[in-house]
Amino acid sequence: MTERYQNYVDGEWIDAQTNETFETTDPAAPAEVVAEYQQSDEADAEAAVEAAAAAQDEWAETPAPQRGAILREAGSILADRKDELTDLLTREEGKTHAEAGGEVQRAVDIFYYYAEKTRDLGGTVKSASGPRTNLYTVDEPVGVAGLITPWNYPIAIPAWKLAPALATGNAVVLKPAKVAPGVAVALFEALDEAGLPDGVANVVTGPGSTVGNTLVTHEDVDAVSFTGSGEVGHMVYDQATDDGKRVQTELGGKNPTVVTDSADVEEAAEIVANGAFGVTGQACTACSRAIVHTDVYDEFVERVVDQAESIEIGPGDEYDMGPQVTESELEGTLDYIEVAEREGATLETGGGQPDGDRFGDGYYVEPTVFSGVDNDFRIAQEEVFGPVLAVIEVEDFEAGLAAANDVQYGLSASVVTDDHTEAERFVREVEAGVAKVNAKTTGLELHVPFGGFKRSSSETWREQGDAGIDFYTIEKTVYDG
Ligand code: NAD
């Protein structure tokens, strides 16, 4: 049976004023409808912003540990629903069960983490030059926050915006991507059940151009947190900053792993393959360029091809890699594969859709490795967002570092090396918000900041850890006495 979801506005589950809905389908079996959602428009988003604005002051005045208690309770409700949400995430977005389960658990952990943080919110006492002056800072909520999220981590990303925003006393409206919104809506079911006051958190499903745009432009929205493509994100940034809103945009990546001549090549191939093909390459931090020292290049290519060919593709929980999320994402990847071949890269493995009964009409694509790639090929410069790896040969470490930086993005980057000096230099000089040594580019800890350099992010604000708290608070300095 198809599940039917509603918007959650001012504490009520309601249909969109448009009376229209849209459906999601299973990327592993596209003929199967998973769920039906509200096709909202500007009026629905406005109503949600008004509800949030009306709830803002009381929520800001609610003692932070009480806010934390609601988050903790919502986290435990989500934890109780983990199996069901894992299944929904797999059916709507295509991640394997293992990947989906990890993501649902991450959302739970984020709720618990920011629940605990509410005990330490406030400000700091400073020494003052006057004898009887109390000098201190207080952190206040920014106000109503508009949250706009992509489909590729459909529960973790909404959670890492929602939880710090609510913990710090902001009312919010979330617009999840139309692809795979079910698990994001479930966050609001949990908050509702946990006793969140009406209007404090609202979710409205529908198109970015109407619902999303209203969150970016509405005068009652004080902060916008956007994660998605650069194409949309740069526009959102310009619009929201022009209106004087606080805004963060977390965008794409073209993440490199540099493999030096001292690397353990087997380990390097494993690190690169995990980073490139995990979650079907649909991660903003996915490794899409392996930049390899000439002395270990041939061996690396051979081993990374072995890794790619050992990946079992298929649906659900028995396989290592699921399908791409939509037909258009699949076509985008297949187009890039063609472009790479035209540009003169050598196709080492993959390059098309797999054959076999279990694949049906699913949006599957083989893990694909190109060697002989120049760093100025489009396959090395543009975000593919599929399981495609470009291997680039370089003369030495210096050239590897230069190639790593020679892209417009700067989200995550890693180096595989046995040389401590090279590792230190890489960490210092690589232009990326996340720098890793002997580790894959994907995988984040929730208690440390996350964000990018250059076109990957608005560099002023980070997410996660204390950075999440910073974005949703504004500091006031008090001289008392
Ligand atoms: P997208 O930009 O198409 O959509 C993101 C969200 O923006 C969706 O909810 C969409 O409906 C909304 N939107 C679209 N037009 C809008 C408008 N005019 N105004 C306001 N909102 C609008 O991105 P996507 O395809 O959902 O996600 C994939 C992209 O997200 C990739 O580029 C990936 O790298 C990026 N991403 C970045 C991070 C990060 O933290 N840096 C994390 C995950 C994904």
Side-chain angles (χ1 to χ4, degrees), residues 148-153 157 160 175-178 206-209 211-213 216 226-230 232-233 235-236 239 250-253 283-284 329 383 385 411 450 456 463:
I148 301 173
T149 53
W151 50 264
N152 70 324
Y153 284 97
I157 294 177
W160 85 45
K175 194 216 86 69
K178 281 183 70 179
S209 55
V211 178
N213 185 257
V216 175
F226 172 94
T227 300
S229 64
V232 179
M235 188 178 73
V236 163
Q239 275 181 319
E250 300 296 345
L251 311 172
C284 52
E329 290 294 330
E383 188 180 49
F385 230 57
L411 196 55
F450 174 55
S456 285
E463 292 196 274

Side-chain angles (χ1 to χ4, degrees), residues 162-434:
L162 255 179
L166 294 176
T168 49
N170 302 272
V172 304
V173 181
L174 172 76
K175 194 216 86 69
K178 281 183 70 179
V179 179
V183 282
V185 175
L187 294 172
F188 292 79
E189 293 170 348
L191 287 164
D192 182 44
E193 202 182 325
L196 190 78
D198 293 351
V200 170
N202 307 272
V203 64
V204 180
T205 52
S209 55
T210 53
V211 178
N213 185 257
T214 302
L215 300 188
V216 175
T217 53
H218 197 293
E219 61 179 10
D220 287 343
V221 173
D222 302 289
V224 175
S225 180
F226 172 94
T227 300
S229 64
E231 198 185 346
V232 179
H234 296 301
M235 188 178 73
V236 163
Y237 185 83
D238 290 343
Q239 275 181 319
T241 45
D242 280 355
D243 286 351
K245 299 183 197 320
R246 181 176 288 198
V247 51
Q248 67 181 176
T249 49
E250 300 296 345
L251 311 172
K254 193 67 202 170
N255 312 290
T257 294
V258 172
V259 179
T260 74
D261 55 349
S262 67
D264 173 334
V265 180
E266 179 77 54
E267 187 196 3
E270 210 172 300
I271 285 172
V272 167
N274 285 336
F277 306 128
V279 294
T280 320
Q282 299 176 129
C284 52
T285 51
C287 173
S288 55
R289 294 180 298 149
I291 301 171
V292 186
H293 192 289
T294 187
D295 289 355
V296 292
Y297 179 81
D298 289 341
E299 188 189 349
F300 175 83
V301 171
E302 198 177 304
R303 287 181 189 253
V304 87
V305 166
D306 286 349
Q307 290 280 338
E309 289 176 351
S310 73
I311 292 171
E312 296 262 353
I313 313 172
D317 53 3
E318 290 164 46
Y319 300 98
D320 310 316
M321 192 176 105
Q324 292 222 242
V325 71
T326 58
E327 192 171 10
S328 68
E329 290 294 330
L330 169 67
E331 278 169 3
T333 301
L334 295 173
D335 283 352
Y336 269 113
I337 289 170
E338 260 183 58
V339 168
E341 288 184 297
R342 272 206 308 275
E343 284 180 308
T346 306
L347 180 65
E348 295 283 350
T349 187
Q353 291 201 261
D355 278 335
D357 286 348
R358 72 171 180 268
F359 303 117
D361 294 331
Y363 305 131
Y364 292 99
V365 62
E366 295 165 317
T368 296
V369 177
F370 281 105
S371 65
V373 175
D374 280 356
N375 201 47
D376 59 2
F377 286 3
R378 282 181 60 198
I379 197 83
Q381 290 289 322
E382 298 173 20
E383 188 180 49
V384 176
F385 230 57
V388 179
L389 175 72
V391 188
I392 298 161
E393 184 174 5
V394 286
E395 283 307 306
D396 53 23
F397 173 73
E398 206 73 39
L401 185 55
N405 286 338
D406 189 18
V407 284
Q408 60 176 337
Y409 295 109
L411 196 55
S412 181
S414 77
V415 65
V416 186
T417 182
D418 212 18
D419 180 327
H420 191 65
T421 312
E422 276 177 354
E424 269 195 335
R425 178 134 179 251
F426 181 84
V427 166
R428 227 178 20 249
E429 294 186 25
V430 75
E431 294 163 2
V434 177

